[in-house]
Amino acid sequence: MAVKETTDQTFEQDTAQGVALIDFWATWCGPCRMQSPVVDALSEEMDNVNFFKMDVDENKETPGKFRIMSIPTLMVKKDGEVVDQIVGYHPQEALKKILEQYTD
């Protein structure tokens, strides 16, 4: 399953059901460019998680609402509730372990 783009307009609807990982990023952010392929690879591996990315430069409302100050920030939501928030680059295995806590 591919990583989908989400926006301020679609965020709540996109992440309302199941387990979702949202990658908050920007084009100018070096660590974000390192994190992106990891999230892409994980999206191919984990069918039970929905993967999204949000460009914080194009979407100001959602990052502001969740007080996202640093990027990359990876947010995990389960059935619409934020259950985890991870700041900075994380390798694939570490992210997988985090996500497995929320998938049954």
Side-chain angles (χ1 to χ4, degrees), residues 18-76:
V19 176
L21 175 97
I22 306 94
D23 178 7
F24 291 90
W25 71 289
T27 52
W28 49 264
C29 164
C32 298
R33 288 199 301 270
M34 287 168 48
Q35 189 69 72
S36 224
V38 173
V39 173
D40 290 343
L42 217 47
S43 76
E44 298 299 321
E45 198 179 313
M46 299 185 80
D47 293 337
N48 53 350
V49 178
N50 296 308
F51 290 85
F52 297 96
K53 49 177 45 189
M54 178 177 277
D55 186 326
V56 297
D57 288 336
E58 291 177 19
N59 301 278
K60 306 258 188 238
E61 194 178 300
T62 304
K65 179 178 164 189
F66 291 102
R67 293 184 174 79
I68 289 168
M69 303 295 187
S70 305
I71 53 173
T73 290
L74 301 171
M75 177 188 288
V76 182

